[in-house]
Amino acid sequence: MLVSGAGTNLQALLDASADPSYGARVVAVGADRDGIEGLARADRAGVPTFTKKVKDFTSREHWDRAMADTVANFEPDLLVLAGFMKLVGDEFHQRFGGRIVNTHPALSPAFPGMHGPAEALEYGVKVTGCTLFVVDEGVDTGPIVAQAPVVVEDDDTVEALHDRIKVAERTMLVDTVGRMAREGFSITGRKVVLGR
Ligand code: GRF
């Protein structure tokens, strides 16, 4: 799993996977920065962590390769990005393509990018939500695995809205990643189907 911040989505997965019947466990947590709560959460759960900062490499490609090499060492079946604020590059797509999922705090294809909750509020939509998708080369454009709606309140702030989206996001992530692990999934074009 890769994180860049608070790691509440990671915590939800760590909590769920404490029950063996969940069918998946977090084998390692990587980050692009240190001192973040996401890494501390992994540490407390006894899950190995690693940090690779872009600025410590001579190029973005070298960072990408070093990250991908480290991820590969843990032999994950699925790579979950949750609040990971970097785009993964070619090396990731080649090695883990079709097995990387990311969570986005908006209902795709609306409001891709870094400011999903703010842009939804600004646009005046009445319903927004969250999306779990299979990562492709675009920004939040990959095939959709799951979505959950969140109603926008008249007096919402970006923070209040994002907090409610994150509640829905954690449930969506735990439910869907568990099903992906237990039941498998297939991707045909843009269509993702859970189950064998
Ligand atoms: C999530 O809403 C994620 O979709 C967005 O940033 C938030 C990360 O939350 N990109 P956390 O670090 O899992 O608490």
Side-chain angles (χ1 to χ4, degrees):
M1 185 145 178
L2 300 183
V3 298
S4 297
T8 62
N9 282 290
L10 162 67
Q11 187 68 55
L13 277 181
L14 290 170
D15 293 347
S17 61
D19 179 350
S21 70
Y22 180 63
R25 67 189 174 88
V26 182
V27 291
V29 173
D32 60 326
R33 60 195 74 176
D34 43 33
I36 56 170
E37 184 58 19
L39 290 172
R41 289 176 193 276
D43 212 33
R44 288 197 291 272
V47 171
T49 64
F50 60 91
T51 303
K52 296 201 184 299
K53 302 178 197 170
V54 173
K55 71 173 176 54
D56 291 340
F57 293 83
T58 50
S59 71
R60 182 75 181 226
E61 287 69 33
H62 288 162
W63 170 80
D64 194 57
R65 193 175 315 138
M67 275 299 252
D69 281 345
T70 309
V71 169
N73 284 337
F74 290 101
E75 301 183 341
D77 297 315
L78 193 66
L79 176 59
V80 178
L81 316 185
F84 185 60
M85 303 311 259
K86 294 274 185 308
L87 291 176
V88 294
D90 285 351
E91 199 72 27
F92 271 87
H93 295 299
Q94 276 161 30
R95 288 157 80 161
F96 311 109
R99 293 189 290 134
I100 312 173
V101 291
N102 193 2
T103 168
H104 177 59
L107 288 177
S108 297
F111 315 123
M114 306 275 278
H115 308 290
E119 286 175 12
L121 206 55
E122 173 86 357
Y123 196 93
V125 295
K126 301 298 186 192
V127 179
T128 182
C130 50
T131 302
L132 185 73
F133 63 96
V134 178
V135 173
D136 66 5
E137 273 82 4
V139 177
D140 302 327
T141 52
I144 293 168
V145 190
Q147 291 186 301
V150 172
V151 170
V152 179
E153 305 292 348
D154 289 341
D155 58 354
D156 254 337
T157 60
V158 174
E159 198 187 16
L161 178 60
H162 195 180
D163 280 350
R164 291 204 312 290
I165 292 172
K166 285 180 68 167
V167 173
E169 209 174 6
R170 292 192 282 269
T171 304
M172 173 189 72
L173 186 70
V174 166
D175 289 353
T176 312
V177 166
R179 286 193 61 191
M180 291 172 95
R182 292 188 305 271
E183 302 170 21
F185 62 98
S186 61
I187 309 169
T188 311
R190 285 206 53 87
K191 195 165 175 189
V192 182
V193 176
L194 297 173
R196 294 198 169 82

